[in-house]
Amino acid sequence: MKRRNFIRISALGTLITGSGLSASCMGKIADSNLEDITDIAVVGGTPAGIMAAIAAARMGSKVILTEYHSHLGGMTTSGLGKSDIENKEAIAGLFKEFTEKVLQYYIDKYGENSNNIKLCKEGYYYEPSVAELVFNQMIAAEKNIKLLFNYQLEEAELESGKITKLGFKDRKTGENKFLKAEAFVDATYEGDVFALAGAAYRLGREGKEEFNEAHAGHIFFDFNEKAFLEGGSGKEDSRLPAYTYRLCMTDDPENSYVLTDPPHGYDRSNYVAYFKDLEEGRLSAPKVFKEGHGYYADHFDTMVRVFSFTEIPNQKYDVNINPRPLGFPFVGENYVYPESDWAARERIFQRHRELTLGLIYFVQNDPEIPEEQRNLAKKYHLPKDEFTDNEHFPWQLYIREARRLKGKYTLTENDVTLNGDAQRTTVFEDTIITGEFPIDSFPVSKVPSKDNKVLEGYIGMYEISPYQIPYRILVPEKVLGLIVPVAASTTHVAYSTVRMEPLWMGIGQVAGIAAHLSRKLQVEIKDVPVLQLQDILIKNHQILTYFKDIDRADKAFDAVQFWGTKGFFNSYLARTKEKLSYQDYNLWLSILRNMPNMPKDLSAGKPSKSVETVSISTIKKLTQALNKSGDLNLNADSWLYNKREKESEVLRGEACLAMYQLYQNTSLT
C-alpha cells in the first residue's frame, strides 16, 4: 500500500498534517458514498474558476466546478459592475467572449441605439444580474461541466505529494462530500486549496529589501502626485489591504430598496471621522479626472464622496467605497480572515456588511450632515431587482488580497514596471498572458501620513506598463496536481496589479487548458509543455505580448505574439511593416536556432557590406533549407504580405511569420 501524505482541516486556521491517514479520517473518506469523480476539479466559482472550467471543458475534459455561495461569479456578479481594465487591447480570450455576450444581451433587450448600449461600454460595464446571467449561460453551454453550489472546502488528501481528493461540507444539508480528480484548480480568492495541501505561501507585505521593490512594505504614498511621503519604513508586516463590499445602487425611485432603519450593530462613531475629511478637503475633487473612476461633480465636497459612483446600465451604479479619506473605517477588519475557520469568516462577512450598510445609513440620515447632502445621498439606494435572495446586498466580500502562493517564480514590482533604460518590462519565455492595470492597493493600516494626506499602505492607481506573466507563478513549489490562477505567486506590490477580474479570467483560461494538457499528456502540471500551451492560447486569442502598433488585422499578429515571449522585441513597437535589418535578423535567427528541435547550423548568410536590410530571398533560403531537412512542404510565399520580387526587402512582420511557421512545423509536429 502506498504511503499517503494527508492534510486535513476541520477549521481553516488549524492544519493537521502527517504521514498516513488517521483511522478516523480514513474511515470518513473511504466509507462515504457521497463521492464525485471527474477529470478536473475547479474550486471557486470566481470569474477565474468559471473560465478555467470552460476552457478545460472545451478541450474535452470532464469538469466539476464548486462554489461556496449559491451564486457564481465572485466580484463580477457582486457589485463590481465595470471591468477593471485600462487597455482593452491587452486582455482578450474568454474575457473578451464574456464582454461580447454582455453587449449582445443589451442589444437584444434594448436595441442597438439605446442608452443602455452606450452605458454598457461595449460589454465592459454591466449590472450584476446580467453578469451572472451571462456566466450561467456560458457554463450551461458546456456539457462537460457539473456545477456544485454551497460547497464548503474542508480537507485535502495527498498521495506522494499530489492532491488526489478534496473533502467538502454541503452547506445546505450538512453532509460531507468528496471530490476526486486527476487535476485540481484552486480558483479561490483565499488560496484555500493550496493551503490545505500544505503548499508554501505568503501572507502580508514583503519588506522593501527582499525583492528590491520601491513600493514594498510600510509606505505612505501621495496618490495625487504619485510620490512617496515621509514616514514609510519599507518594513515587512502581516497586514492586508482593506476588504469592502462593492455595491450596486440605483437612482430609480421605482426600483429602490430604502434603508428606513439602521442596520444591526449600527454605531455612528464608526463614521464621524469623515467630518474631518469633509472639513479638510479630502472629499473634494480629484486632481485628475478619469473615466470610470466614479467622479461626479455634484458629490465633491459632500459626504456622498465617501463613495465612488460609476454609471452602468438601467439607472444603476457600480459603487466603490472611497479609500482616500482618513475616516475610511474598514482597515484592519480583515487581518485574520485568510487563516480563519468558516464560522469566523462568516462573522467577518457580517461585520463588513454591517459597516457598509451603516455607512449608507449614516450618509443618508445622520443629523450632523447638512440636509442638502443627506438629500443628495437619498437619491441612491440598493436596487430591488439585484441580489433578490440577500436583501439586495452583494453575496461576495471584496477580498482584495489574502494568501499568495509561493510558486516556481515570484512576480515582483520590478517585473511589472520599466527599469532603468528598458523600453519593455521583463520578458518571460513561459509567458501566458499580459497584465496592464495600475498598481492599486487599498489602505493597510489606519495610521495617516504626517501631512494627513493618506492612510498608510494606500497605493492609488500607480501607472505601469503592460507586462508579461509567466506560467511558473501558477505552479506550487512542491505540491503536485494543482494550478493556482487567482492567489498566484507574487509579492504584495505585484499582486496589487494582478488582482483584477479581467486578468484573472484570462489566467483562469490558462489554468483550465494547462490542467487538461496535464491529464491528456500524463505529465505533472509543472511539466506541461509551455510551447504547446502558448500555441493553444494564441489560437484562443489570448494576448501574450502587448504592442502599441499591431492588431489582429495584421497577418503576423499571432507570430508577433509568440516571438514577443522569446526576445524578438525590446520595446512595445513591433514595426511589422518596416524593413528588417540584418542586426535584428541575426538576433531573431539565434533565438530560432535555440528553439526545441531546430537545427543549430542555420545560417544568416553573408550580405555585402553595403546591405543593411534583409531580402525576401534570404528568408526563402532559410525556409528552403528547413523544407529540405524536415520535408515540411511549406508554402514558400504564405508568409508574405504580398508577392514581390525575391530581391525585394523583407518586412519585419513577414520574417516573424516565416520563422513562426518554421518553428510550428518543426517543433509542434
Side-chain angles (χ1 to χ4, degrees):
M1 181 177 178
K2 291 182 180 179
R3 288 176 64 83
R4 295 185 177 188
N5 295 322
F6 179 68
I7 298 173
R8 179 173 74 86
I9 196 167
S10 55
L12 277 172
T14 310
L15 286 174
I16 304 170
T17 63
S19 179
L21 287 167
S22 68
S24 61
C25 294
M26 183 64 179
K28 184 169 73 168
I29 291 179
D31 295 342
S32 173
N33 294 319
L34 301 174
E35 180 174 284
D36 272 307
I37 300 175
T38 190
D39 296 333
I40 297 170
V42 180
V43 181
T46 60
I50 293 167
M51 297 314 186
I54 291 171
R58 290 182 181 178
M59 296 290 290
S61 288
K62 300 290 185 182
V63 182
I64 290 179
L65 172 61
T66 73
E67 167 54 33
Y68 178 82
H69 298 287
S70 56
H71 296 267
L72 280 179
M75 286 307 302
T76 301
T77 60
S78 275
L80 184 51
K82 70 181 185 71
S83 301
D84 281 328
I85 180 169
E86 298 284 287
N87 190 327
K88 292 180 180 178
E89 302 304 316
I91 304 176
L94 283 175
F95 166 69
K96 184 67 172 177
E97 182 177 326
F98 167 77
T99 62
E100 289 169 349
K101 289 181 180 297
V102 169
L103 174 61
Q104 193 60 51
Y105 167 86
Y106 284 112
I107 290 174
D108 291 344
K109 186 158 186 176
Y110 301 104
E112 291 190 19
N113 297 318
S114 68
N115 189 49
N116 283 329
I117 295 301
K118 178 182 177 182
L119 291 172
C120 84
K121 308 281 188 183
E122 299 179 302
Y124 287 79
Y125 286 22
Y126 34 77
E127 300 158 84
S129 53
V130 173
E132 184 179 15
L133 174 66
V134 170
F135 278 142
N136 287 340
Q137 290 174 340
M138 292 177 74
I139 290 288
E142 304 299 331
K143 59 181 175 53
N144 285 334
I145 298 177
K146 179 179 180 180
L147 183 57
L148 300 173
F149 286 116
N150 300 300
Y151 261 49
Q152 177 175 302
L153 181 63
E154 293 285 341
E155 55 191 79
E157 180 177 321
L158 284 76
E159 293 185 19
S160 302
K162 183 172 184 174
I163 300 180
T164 57
K165 187 183 293 188
L166 294 177
F168 297 84
K169 177 182 177 181
D170 187 319
R171 297 176 62 226
K172 292 293 186 183
T173 67
E175 294 177 309
N176 294 314
K177 298 184 178 182
F178 301 93
L179 184 51
K180 188 174 184 180
E182 294 182 56
F184 292 84
V185 178
D186 184 349
T188 65
Y189 290 123
E190 299 89 350
D192 282 341
V193 180
F194 69 66
L196 277 171
Y201 60 83
R202 300 177 183 276
L203 188 60
R205 298 183 289 183
E206 294 79 13
K208 188 173 181 178
E209 295 181 356
E210 183 171 354
F211 291 99
N212 193 30
E213 295 178 299
H215 294 81
H218 182 271
I219 183 175
F220 292 102
F221 186 76
D222 187 329
F223 53 85
N224 273 321
E225 302 299 332
K226 308 302 180 188
F228 296 101
L229 296 171
E230 182 184 353
S233 70
K235 291 183 178 179
E236 66 178 286
D237 60 33
S238 60
R239 294 168 176 164
L240 296 168
Y243 299 170
T244 58
Y245 278 96
R246 191 75 167 237
L247 298 171
C248 180
M249 301 188 81
T250 182
D251 58 8
D252 178 2
E254 297 299 317
N255 193 30
S256 290
Y257 177 76
V258 180
L259 296 179
T260 56
D261 298 304
H264 179 268
Y266 176 72
D267 182 352
R268 78 180 292 269
S269 67
N270 289 320
Y271 315 108
V272 293
Y274 279 125
F275 287 114
K276 197 73 170 174
D277 289 308
L278 186 62
E279 177 186 339
E280 296 181 354
R282 287 183 291 274
L283 299 181
S284 297
K287 181 177 180 179
V288 178
F289 284 68
K290 207 165 187 180
E291 181 185 3
H293 287 200
Y295 302 146
Y296 288 88
D298 289 350
H299 299 173
F300 299 151
D301 298 303
T302 77
M303 198 62 82
V304 180
R305 187 72 180 104
V306 304
F307 300 106
S308 296
F309 285 69
T310 299
E311 192 172 10
I312 60 176
N314 279 321
Q315 286 188 251
K316 295 176 186 174
Y317 300 84
D318 166 325
V319 179
N320 201 1
I321 299 174
N322 185 354
R324 299 180 175 187
L326 304 186
F328 182 72
F330 296 89
V331 182
E333 298 287 343
N334 61 333
Y335 287 164
V336 301
Y337 174 85
E339 296 184 315
S340 293
D341 62 25
W342 286 110
R345 285 183 175 181
E346 285 289 344
R347 290 192 292 272
I348 293 169
F349 295 158
Q350 184 63 26
R351 170 64 174 165
H352 281 78
R353 177 180 177 132
E354 291 172 356
L355 277 173
T356 304
L357 291 172
L359 182 56
I360 296 172
Y361 185 83
F362 171 78
V363 173
Q364 292 180 340
N365 296 282
D366 193 88
E368 192 175 339
I369 297 173
E371 183 178 6
E372 64 274 16
Q373 294 185 29
R374 280 183 274 139
N375 289 337
L376 178 61
K378 287 178 181 178
K379 288 175 56 179
Y380 306 103
H381 303 280
L382 302 177
K384 290 179 181 178
D385 61 352
E386 297 287 348
F387 315 115
T388 55
D389 60 352
N390 196 38
E391 296 181 312
H392 315 290
F393 193 84
W395 307 293
Q396 175 67 56
L397 180 64
Y398 199 162
I399 299 164
R400 290 183 171 82
E401 181 181 319
R403 304 181 185 95
R404 303 185 311 282
L405 178 72
K406 280 189 176 181
K408 294 291 184 181
Y409 183 83
T410 299
L411 193 76
T412 75
E413 177 180 359
N414 298 315
D415 294 319
V416 304
T417 54
L418 293 175
N419 296 302
D421 296 329
Q423 298 180 63
R424 175 177 276 284
T425 53
T426 306
V427 173
F428 295 103
E429 287 193 14
D430 60 338
T431 295
I432 40 82
I433 196 171
T434 289
E436 53 77 54
F437 201 80
I439 293 171
D440 188 46
S441 172
F442 262 41
V444 175
S445 72
K446 289 187 176 181
V447 177
S449 58
K450 291 182 178 180
D451 55 8
N452 284 332
K453 282 188 175 180
V454 68
L455 292 177
E456 192 275 316
Y458 180 53
I459 309 173
M461 299 296 288
Y462 180 71
E463 297 286 348
I464 58 174
S465 298
Y467 57 90
Q468 295 183 338
I469 294 180
Y471 179 68
R472 287 164 288 164
I473 75 166
L474 313 183
V475 182
E477 289 177 327
K478 295 180 180 179
V479 173
L480 303 176
L482 178 65
I483 190 165
V484 183
V486 177
S489 180
T490 79
T491 63
H492 157 71
V493 180
Y495 199 78
S496 299
T497 163
V498 171
R499 64 167 189 87
M500 304 301 159
E501 301 293 357
L503 182 54
W504 273 339
M505 288 192 215
I507 301 176
Q509 181 176 3
V510 174
I513 294 171
H516 169 82
L517 287 176
S518 171
R519 56 173 299 274
K520 179 184 177 182
L521 302 175
Q522 289 298 290
V523 298
E524 296 297 343
I525 286 174
K526 68 181 179 64
D527 298 321
V528 165
V530 170
L531 292 173
Q532 188 172 346
L533 175 61
Q534 289 174 325
D535 186 62
I536 295 169
L537 291 169
I538 289 171
K539 286 184 171 73
N540 282 274
H541 296 160
Q542 189 88 295
I543 303 298
L544 303 188
T545 315
Y546 173 77
F547 293 94
K548 297 177 180 179
D549 61 343
I550 187 172
D551 58 31
R552 291 196 181 277
D554 194 308
K555 189 175 182 178
F557 184 84
D558 288 355
V560 169
Q561 287 292 303
F562 177 78
W563 292 122
T565 72
K566 306 298 179 256
F568 270 34
F569 309 96
N570 63 0
S571 76
Y572 291 102
L573 300 176
R575 299 169 20 232
T576 57
K577 302 300 174 63
E578 295 182 16
K579 298 166 186 176
L580 176 64
S581 70
Y582 260 99
Q583 180 180 359
D584 282 344
Y585 178 54
N586 280 312
L587 170 65
W588 294 4
L589 193 60
S590 69
I591 293 170
L592 181 65
R593 286 191 195 105
N594 289 318
M595 296 297 291
N597 303 319
M598 297 299 294
K600 306 303 180 188
D601 59 351
L602 296 176
S603 173
K606 295 181 179 180
S608 65
K609 292 181 179 180
S610 62
V611 177
E612 295 182 355
T613 56
V614 180
S615 67
I616 290 174
S617 63
T618 301
I619 304 298
K620 283 191 172 185
K621 288 177 184 177
L622 179 66
T623 62
Q624 288 165 0
L626 284 176
N627 261 325
K628 185 176 180 180
S629 64
D631 193 26
L632 302 178
N633 297 316
L634 293 178
N635 182 335
D637 296 324
S638 63
W639 44 272
L640 291 171
Y641 286 128
N642 53 71
K643 291 185 179 181
R644 306 188 300 283
E645 294 294 328
K646 67 178 183 179
E647 294 309 318
S648 300
E649 293 166 310
V650 74
L651 303 181
R652 290 164 59 87
E654 294 171 328
C656 270
L657 184 52
M659 291 183 176
Y660 188 52
Q661 290 177 351
L662 290 171
Y663 150 72
Q664 286 187 308
N665 281 276
T666 303
S667 298
L668 292 181
T669 54

